[in-house]
């Protein structure tokens, strides 16, 4: 079996993935973000056209199940814009769900994740599959919900080979996540993508996590996470200088309507990529935006 990136239009040779926004959202709905729903396919298409015009070729949507991810709209958007789209299964933190809905979901969670990775996404036309499992930690720890979801994600990983992408609350609890997923459940660290770490810019810790083999998915500029923008390049520099350039991923992580208006995912390519090239050389920009995502999202897919 050769490695492939599982897009909403089918499995893709990783060499064909191209310039990739490794963590973003075209659609997202949460009771935590009232009035900020990303739920408009026309707006998503506009974002993707702008991203493609800037040289973008692939975008990974980290919106998990039950949060308005619009799996039904993703294949059409990919066809209309020529941008490869990768969708997620998984669950976010408990606060994003109705408690009764969560209780129902807990039964057979690993099987649900596995089916979405191998058979098709709930709510999408047949055969439109997820390419990653999204999970979420807590502030400096992992609650029962997080542990339950991560156990199921690890099981789905072992059944399918899928990568696991992690939301870290304010950038914390990454060591606890690796302890649980890798040390306890045997997921290889290279299959784990740690999100939002620059919200907690502990560079020594970041170097340890990269040395352990995990990918570090840093947030690009977004109105929602503006607080991290000013140390993004220091974080990149610390990892590059320590020899971990091959562990770095970048994504816009657009989570609200306000964030979508500007700068949006295209900013990654119009502003950040040239600056990466200027500061660290064109080779580094290519690694972070093209080579690393091709490795991070490729899997030797198997079915249970
Ligand atoms: Zn996100």
């Amino acid at each position: 079996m050769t490695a492939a990136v599982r897009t909403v239009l089918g499995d893709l040779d990783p060499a064909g993935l191209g310039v990739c926004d490794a963590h973003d959202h075209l659609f997202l709905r949460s009771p935590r973000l009232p009035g900020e729903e990303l739920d408009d396919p026309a707006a998503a298409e506009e974002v993707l056209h702008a991203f493609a015009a800037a040289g973008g070729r692939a975008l990974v949507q980290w919106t998990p199940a039950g949060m308005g991810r619009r799996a039904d709209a993703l294949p059409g958007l990919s066809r209309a814009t020529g941008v490869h789209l990768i969708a997620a299964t998984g669950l976010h933190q408990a606060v994003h769900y109705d408690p009764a809905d969560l209780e129902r979901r807990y039964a057979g969670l690993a099987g649900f994740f596995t089916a979405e990775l191998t058979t098709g996404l709930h709510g999408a036309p047949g055969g439109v599959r997820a390419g990653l499992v999204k999970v979420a930690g807590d502030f400096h720890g992992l609650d029962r919900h997080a542990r339950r979801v991560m156990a199921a994600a690890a099981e789905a990983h072992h059944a399918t080979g899928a990568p696991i992408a992690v939301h870290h609350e304010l950038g914390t609890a990454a060591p606890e996540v690796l302890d649980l997923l890798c040390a306890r459940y045997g997921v290889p660290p290279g299959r784990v993508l740690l999100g939002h770490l620059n919200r907690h810019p502990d560079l020594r810790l970041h170097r340890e996590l990269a040395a352990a083999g995990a990918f570090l998915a840093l947030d690009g500029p977004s109105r929602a996470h503006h607080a991290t923008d000013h140390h993004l390049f220091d974080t990149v520099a610390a990892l590059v200088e320590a020899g971990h350039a091959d562990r770095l991923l970048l994504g816009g992580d657009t989570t609200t309507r306000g964030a979508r208006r500007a700068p949006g995912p295209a900013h990654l390519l119009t502003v950040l990529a040239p600056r990466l090239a200027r500061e660290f050389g064109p080779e580094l920009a290519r690694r972070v935006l093209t080579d690393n995502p091709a490795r991070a999202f490729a899997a030797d897919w198997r079915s249970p």
Side-chain angles (χ1 to χ4, degrees):
M1 174 88 203
T2 50
V5 177
R6 184 150 285 175
T7 79
V8 297
L9 295 183
D11 286 357
L12 179 74
D13 179 347
L17 187 66
V19 173
C20 180
D21 177 343
H23 175 177
D24 227 309
H25 303 275
L26 295 170
F27 300 101
L28 183 76
R29 175 170 30 75
S30 166
R32 301 275 317 266
L33 299 166
E36 288 286 358
E37 295 78 11
L38 298 179
D39 55 7
D40 178 0
E45 185 169 337
E46 214 174 292
V47 163
L48 286 172
H49 278 306
F51 179 63
R57 292 293 169 264
L59 182 144
V60 187
Q61 168 162 288
W62 286 31
T63 311
M67 292 188 67
R69 63 192 167 174
R70 292 299 305 267
D72 58 319
L74 295 176
L77 285 168
S78 182
R79 280 192 202 96
T81 62
V83 176
H84 301 300
L85 296 178
I86 298 146
T89 184
L91 288 181
H92 208 315
Q93 292 167 330
V95 322
H96 295 284
Y97 300 90
D98 171 58
D101 175 39
L102 263 191
E103 279 308 320
R104 277 193 300 275
R105 288 179 182 277
Y106 284 151
L109 203 52
F112 171 73
F113 295 164
T114 301
E116 289 215 306
L117 291 157
T118 55
T119 309
L121 287 152
H122 186 75
V128 178
R129 299 179 290 192
L132 70 152
V133 188
K134 161 82 174 273
V135 300
D138 271 314
F139 186 54
H140 285 289
L142 304 177
D143 65 4
R144 269 176 60 114
H145 168 80
R147 290 176 180 279
R148 203 165 195 166
V149 174
M150 286 183 197
E155 204 178 309
H157 160 79
H158 288 302
T160 64
I164 300 175
V166 188
H167 164 96
H168 291 94
E169 189 64 20
L170 297 175
T172 66
E176 288 84 348
V177 168
L178 288 191
D179 272 353
L180 187 68
L181 287 178
C182 305
R184 174 148 180 211
Y185 293 127
V187 178
R191 306 279 57 218
V192 181
L193 286 52
L194 306 171
H196 304 321
L197 292 191
N198 51 335
R199 296 183 194 179
H200 182 70
D202 180 340
L203 301 183
R204 288 176 176 78
L205 178 60
H206 293 181
R207 282 190 289 259
E208 272 180 41
L209 298 166
F215 283 96
L216 277 62
L218 305 177
D219 306 326
S222 154
R223 229 170 259 268
H225 316 311
H226 177 67
T228 72
D229 294 354
H230 68 282
H231 44 72
L232 174 61
F233 278 79
D234 286 340
T235 308
V236 171
L239 290 162
V240 169
E241 283 157 18
H244 300 307
D246 65 337
R247 299 290 102 193
L248 275 169
L249 300 169
L250 270 183
D253 195 26
T254 312
T255 53
T256 61
R257 288 188 193 189
R260 170 174 279 174
R261 275 194 290 279
H267 186 89
L268 207 60
L269 306 179
T270 55
V271 175
L272 281 194
R275 190 171 159 202
L276 280 175
R278 220 167 42 242
E279 293 210 21
F280 306 103
E283 166 73 5
L284 193 272
R286 207 200 68 221
R287 283 177 93 172
V288 172
L289 292 165
T290 304
D291 300 350
N292 294 350
R295 277 185 296 113
F297 296 103
D300 292 320
W301 293 101
R302 50 191 180 266
S303 286

